[in-house]
Amino acid sequence: TFINLRRKFKILITSLFVVLAGLLLHYSLRVFVCDSFVVNGVSMEPVLHSGERVWVNKLKMGARIYTDYNFSKPKLSSFRLPGFSKVNVGDLVIANYPYAKSHDTITFKINYVYLKRCYGAPGDTVRIVDGYYLHPQTGGRIGDLTYQKKLSECSDSLLAEDGVVIKALQVNKSLNWTIRNFGPLYVPRKGDSVEIGVDTYKTWRRPILFETGERLYVRDGQVFLGEKPISLYTFRSDWYFLGGDNVLNSKDSRYIGLFPESYIIGIVI
């Protein structure tokens, strides 16, 4: 009887060890190597459809590791492990939506994620001409062209009847950007500087607020950051322009602005 009890105890301990090891391996793979997400919505059609599952490579750009697990806070606390490369134009990525808690301030909400295509990496300049995204390096058209062709050929009135929001991000109202003709918009790279003026400060207001915690505003014809006048700003992090392949129905950088690098979870494989 004693021998049988010892044998049963060993089996129990071994089983627990196997279960714990399996759980550790499972979550380690999800955190450091790859994870899966289910597509929700039509913004990536016709390439991906709602309900499809995609896998995300976390090794390529480095896994994002949380340093604070109190996710009720509006700010993300994390660092990124070394990766093999950055996100490139044309890559599909999973990223946290930057305005899940505020319409005007970039905040963090865990598990509130978007699947989009990168149309502008750090240092690029994004342009949409006559409904088509242009590749920042080659100038050729990029992305799936199915809905870009419809955007190019349909009139604004017809698109509006179908519920398409024509008006895009208005960083400068005099530019009157639309989703048919957008940009040029520079995508900031860490260490790059941009001029800050009365006519341009709104372009950078939300990214700079995210990086510094202080707002840009105009007083007596001069732009201020907090209490200090500013004419040049050097970015502290990389930014990305992300968009959906269904350009007629996608809430993305054309409407909300740029995504910070820290909000990108990984690259879809």
Side-chain angles (χ1 to χ4, degrees), residues 191-209:
D192 285 354
S193 299
V194 296
E195 293 184 357
I196 305 295
V198 174
D199 295 330
T200 62
Y201 81 98
K202 289 184 178 180
T203 306
W204 312 116
R205 183 172 55 87
R206 289 188 287 185
I208 290 175
L209 173 61

Side-chain angles (χ1 to χ4, degrees), residues 140-168:
R141 294 170 180 174
I142 183 175
D144 186 273
L145 302 183
T146 304
Y147 288 99
Q148 294 186 46
K149 186 173 186 291
K150 290 183 179 180
L151 177 59
S152 176
E153 295 177 353
C154 292
S155 66
D156 285 359
S157 58
L158 185 60
L159 292 172
E161 289 178 6
D162 290 337
V164 179
V165 179
I166 305 297
K167 188 176 181 181

Side-chain angles (χ1 to χ4, degrees), residues 59-72:
L59 292 175
K60 188 171 183 180
M61 66 180 303
R64 186 181 67 183
I65 307 299
Y66 296 118
T67 57
D68 187 344
Y69 288 88
N70 181 3
F71 297 120
S72 63

Side-chain angles (χ1 to χ4, degrees), residues 168-213:
L169 178 72
Q170 300 299 303
V171 295
N172 184 334
K173 290 185 178 180
S174 65
L175 298 175
N176 195 30
W177 285 355
T178 69
I179 61 171
R180 192 194 304 276
N181 290 288
F182 183 99
L185 175 65
Y186 174 70
V187 183
R189 175 174 50 199
K190 183 179 180 180
D192 285 354
S193 299
V194 296
E195 293 184 357
I196 305 295
V198 174
D199 295 330
T200 62
Y201 81 98
K202 289 184 178 180
T203 306
W204 312 116
R205 183 172 55 87
R206 289 188 287 185
I208 290 175
L209 173 61
F210 174 81
E211 292 191 351
T212 67

Side-chain angles (χ1 to χ4, degrees), residues 127-140:
R127 293 180 177 86
I128 302 174
V129 177
D130 194 25
Y132 291 96
Y133 277 105
L134 301 185
H135 195 291
Q137 280 76 51
T138 67

Side-chain angles (χ1 to χ4, degrees), residues 202-255:
K202 289 184 178 180
T203 306
W204 312 116
R205 183 172 55 87
R206 289 188 287 185
I208 290 175
L209 173 61
F210 174 81
E211 292 191 351
T212 67
E214 296 184 301
R215 294 185 180 274
L216 290 172
Y217 63 94
V218 175
R219 185 174 68 199
D220 299 328
Q222 170 69 53
V223 181
F224 285 79
L225 178 60
E227 294 300 317
K228 297 179 180 179
I230 184 173
S231 60
L232 195 71
Y233 179 79
T234 302
F235 281 92
R236 305 174 184 179
S237 55
D238 289 332
W239 293 79
Y240 291 85
F241 189 104
L242 305 180
D245 283 343
N246 182 354
V247 294
L248 303 181
N249 190 355
S250 175
K251 193 174 185 181
D252 52 41
S253 289
R254 299 171 301 164
Y255 299 108

